[in-house]
Amino acid sequence: TYQGPAPVISAVSPQVGPLAGGTTILIYGSNFIAGFSVTVGGVPATNLSLNNGVISARTPAGTQGPATVT
């Protein structure tokens, strides 16, 4: 069980993308660790990597409107 501080997202770039998904997003924040996962609108993102404290992820297909990144 992980006992460290909770991950915090401070920014996501870009903030818009096509409904079909496939956009590579960069997630900035703190307390990211190996073994992380990312969801966009509750759907798992793919092609995850963590480099210099920044997460890179490919967005899944979505629906029109805002989507929460976790």
Side-chain angles (χ1 to χ4, degrees):
T1 303
Y2 179 68
Q3 299 289 327
V8 176
I9 296 174
S10 59
V12 177
S13 180
Q15 293 186 359
V16 296
L19 294 177
T23 301
T24 297
I25 57 173
L26 299 178
I27 303 167
Y28 301 90
S30 59
N31 307 324
F32 300 145
I33 61 168
F36 65 92
S37 62
V38 173
T39 62
V40 179
V43 180
T46 59
N47 293 60
L48 305 175
S49 67
L50 176 60
N51 189 13
N52 293 324
V54 178
I55 294 174
S56 174
R58 183 165 297 147
T59 60
T63 57
Q64 189 166 345
T68 301
V69 176
T70 57

